[in-house]
Amino acid sequence: MAKDIVTRFAPSPTGFLHIGGARTALFNWLFAKHAGGKMLLRIEDTDRARSTQEAVDAIMDGLSWLGLDWDGEPISQFSRLDRHKEAVEAMLANGSAYRCYSTPEEVDAMREKARAEGRPPRYDGTWRNKDASEAPDGVDPVIRLKAPEDGETVVDDMVQGRVVIPNKDLDDFVLMRSDGTPTYMLAVVVDDHDMAVTHIIRGVDHLTNAARQTLIFKALGWDVPAMAHIPLIHGPDGAKLSKRHGATGAEAYRAMGYLPQAMRNYLARLGWSHGDEEIMALSDMIKWFGMDAVGQSAARFDFKKLENLNGHYMRATEDAELLDHWKVYLAHADGGKDVLAWMADAKNAATALTALPGLKERAKTLVELTESASYLWRPRPLDTDEKADKILNDDAKAILGDLHAVLEGVSGWAAEPLETAVKAYAEQKELKLGKVAQPLRAALTGRGTSPGIYDVLIALGRDESLARIHDQAAKS
Ligand code: GLU
């Protein structure tokens, strides 16, 4: 029977969830889901000085926001110290590792010498064949891998193809430091084995580690998992994605008002494709995902494309679901708490829901949506922007005075009778509809642009609409 597919996402908790990490997690998740397997989460927290609980929380929060769940409890690498030590003991016992008593100064000197002779700077294997009896007193040794000196190590990568590394280029690297802590290289292998990981999917920057880790798997007599090293994400200018290009953390995209489903769709397409499909339902992504369609060249992050995709998802998302995402956004946005407090009133939440169809048509992000929805909760008398001020001249005020009377007489506050009444008024005064709609818009929203004017009238309701029109008509 084929082994169950197990992937893992293995972030180091030293900051937020990097957008590259989010994409790695997504690929692991899609690969596992596609195969009906599992994705595990391993927190690589062995660097005690740099790892923080805050970062662990931020990573999990980012994954959850993106809808990427993991199977079982997250595993702390640090908590597995004893198991790592056990593995090193096993390697010492089977002769695939040895104690090295060279001092850091001696190792530096070896590297210097190699460099001077034009060789790669490496440990020279001094303690490889020495007897334990030669060990100096009072020196805590490091433990090194007895790496093969000849031949080659092959990484049969699902994305990078067959990568061959001559063993002479892989030196006797350290598995355990002199203070008894395992190195990253060793811990990853022991954990991947114990977690029964079948597929290691991660950034191509780990490809050189892959060869070293392959040697450890073999030294322990363990199966080497399949590997897929995915290309990195670059900025629009082709350089590795960094702060310079803008936000690099998943939470920053939430704060910029992107929807998780848009982000997921966008990240999936960074390095992977399925024909020309740009917009993919999650179920299709799962169905179609495979490493064969992951390219080798770096993917470029295109902010414009993400924004357009987000606009699509804003329009396509059901109002009630969009309202939920909006609330999540507001909970993290500057000033969002005030809007949430307003929404906490059931009447206002209903108003927001009524206004959403009109709002979402025009907004590419939840930031824009919030701005154009602000007419709903801004207090009377409404503040006005420059465009609205320009519209609200004396002629406009006169029109608003008329409209107040016209609208007050409309029976049934619904789009159709309201539209009929406004149109009839425009005709009677021989005014273009825009000449009437613009002051109305400015009075109701305080802005020169807004959702459809009848949507606004309905969302605000009769009393509030009439009061706002009166405020502007009467303003001196
Ligand atoms: N902890 C490593 C990182 O955050 C990943 C290690 C791995 O996937 O093997 O880059």
Side-chain angles (χ1 to χ4, degrees):
M1 209 178 82
K3 265 205 283 186
D4 286 341
I5 301 289
V6 179
T7 67
R8 71 351 179 232
F9 177 51
S12 306
T14 55
F16 45 58
L17 176 63
H18 190 275
I19 213 68
R23 201 260 323 234
T24 300
L26 176 63
F27 279 24
N28 274 285
W29 188 88
L30 286 172
F31 191 84
K33 290 276 173 236
H34 174 83
K38 290 183 176 156
M39 181 181 92
L40 309 180
L41 177 62
R42 181 171 75 230
I43 305 294
E44 303 213 312
D45 52 357
T46 49
D47 183 342
R48 301 313 285 168
R50 294 180 63 218
S51 302
T52 65
Q53 186 56 41
E54 239 183 330
V56 173
D57 294 343
I59 289 167
M60 293 203 216
D61 176 47
L63 292 174
S64 301
W65 176 64
L66 285 167
L68 303 178
D69 52 353
W70 53 91
D71 290 280
E73 287 299 311
I75 290 160
S76 148
Q77 187 159 64
F78 178 68
S79 73
R80 296 179 31 79
L81 191 65
D82 290 344
R83 211 12 224 150
H84 301 148
K85 286 183 177 165
E86 230 173 80
V88 175
E89 287 302 325
M91 291 173 80
L92 284 170
N94 76 13
S96 61
Y98 62 92
R99 292 190 175 82
C100 159
Y101 295 88
S102 299
T103 62
E105 294 74 29
E106 285 168 345
V107 175
D108 282 348
M110 285 171 204
R111 295 219 172 99
E112 231 10 87
K113 183 161 176 273
R115 221 176 265 129
E117 291 168 6
R119 291 180 288 117
R122 298 272 139 84
Y123 177 71
D124 71 0
T126 297
W127 282 89
R128 198 175 159 105
N129 299 309
K130 280 199 188 180
D131 194 79
S133 62
E134 296 176 65
D137 283 340
V139 176
D140 291 324
V142 301
I143 297 172
R144 290 182 183 273
L145 176 79
K146 195 180 274 185
E149 290 168 302
D150 314 309
E152 52 198 28
T153 296
V154 176
V155 176
D156 239 327
D157 196 87
M158 295 170 80
V159 174
Q160 306 298 328
R162 192 179 145 86
V163 181
V164 179
I165 297 103
N167 284 335
K168 64 174 173 44
D169 291 348
L170 302 171
D171 64 345
D172 290 353
F173 56 88
V174 175
L175 303 169
M176 183 86 89
R177 300 182 194 92
S178 57
D179 65 0
T181 57
T183 57
Y184 161 74
M185 211 62 79
L186 186 268
V188 166
V189 171
V190 177
D191 293 350
D192 282 339
H193 173 75
D194 288 2
M195 290 160 71
V197 169
T198 58
H199 292 75
I200 295 175
I201 303 166
R202 60 188 172 192
V204 72
D205 47 338
H206 286 284
L207 189 59
T208 47
N209 292 338
R212 293 198 159 91
Q213 289 165 4
T214 297
L215 291 180
I216 304 178
F217 275 110
K218 291 195 168 151
L220 284 159
W222 293 342
D223 287 344
V224 184
M227 298 197 190
H229 287 89
I230 58 181
L232 300 184
I233 302 175
H234 286 179
D237 60 354
K240 195 177 157 184
L241 192 68
S242 71
K243 275 248 154 68
R244 192 162 52 80
H245 295 108
T248 52
E251 85 302 333
Y253 287 83
R254 176 170 61 199
M256 287 187 281
Y258 292 106
L259 293 171
Q261 54 269 49
M263 211 56 208
R264 217 165 38 209
N265 191 152
Y266 184 71
L267 289 175
R269 293 276 280 90
L270 273 184
W272 172 71
S273 58
H274 182 78
D276 293 330
E277 306 282 346
E278 296 266 1
I279 293 162
M280 298 184 237
L282 191 58
S283 53
D284 284 334
M285 284 198 269
I286 292 171
K287 190 161 72 196
W288 295 332
F289 192 79
M291 287 300 160
D292 44 345
V294 175
Q296 285 184 10
S297 46
R300 284 195 191 200
F301 204 98
D302 182 337
F303 291 88
K304 200 85 219 142
K305 225 170 170 176
L306 170 61
E307 195 171 283
N308 286 332
L309 197 60
N310 202 66
H312 164 83
Y313 276 99
M314 297 273 290
R315 293 187 294 278
T317 302
E318 295 281 344
D319 296 335
E321 192 195 335
L322 189 59
L323 183 65
D324 287 341
H325 286 301
W326 192 11
K327 287 181 182 167
V328 171
Y329 157 78
L330 289 169
H332 294 92
D334 280 349
K337 298 258 179 337
D338 294 341
V339 182
L340 274 181
W342 176 82
M343 275 185 197
D345 182 327
K347 198 173 104 283
N348 293 338
T351 302
L353 203 56
T354 310
L356 259 185
L359 291 166
K360 71 184 189 184
E361 281 309 312
R362 285 167 183 77
K364 286 216 168 85
T365 65
L366 291 168
V367 175
E368 288 179 19
L369 185 98
T370 307
E371 163 55 26
S372 66
S374 70
Y375 76 88
L376 293 171
W377 55 78
R378 289 189 350 260
R380 289 180 44 221
L382 224 54
D383 64 284
T384 44
D385 71 4
E386 220 176 295
K387 259 173 146 178
D389 286 340
K390 239 173 135 178
I391 294 168
L392 292 167
N393 55 21
D394 288 343
D395 288 351
K397 282 179 191 159
I399 292 172
L400 286 171
D402 292 347
L403 279 175
H404 188 274
V406 167
L407 295 176
E408 206 173 18
V410 171
S411 63
W413 199 260
E416 220 173 289
L418 288 169
E419 193 172 346
T420 310
V422 172
K423 276 189 175 155
Y425 169 75
E427 260 165 48
Q428 181 211 332
K429 292 277 172 181
E430 294 183 7
L431 290 167
K432 281 204 185 123
L433 200 55
K435 270 272 172 263
V436 179
Q438 272 190 342
L440 199 50
R441 161 172 296 126
L444 294 170
T445 69
R447 302 284 182 262
T449 51
S450 78
I453 205 66
Y454 304 106
D455 287 345
V456 171
L457 283 165
I458 304 292
L460 288 174
R462 183 176 192 277
D463 294 349
E464 181 70 19
S465 297
L466 290 174
R468 289 186 185 196
I469 294 167
H470 177 76
D471 286 344
Q472 294 302 332
K475 205 162 146 186
S476 50

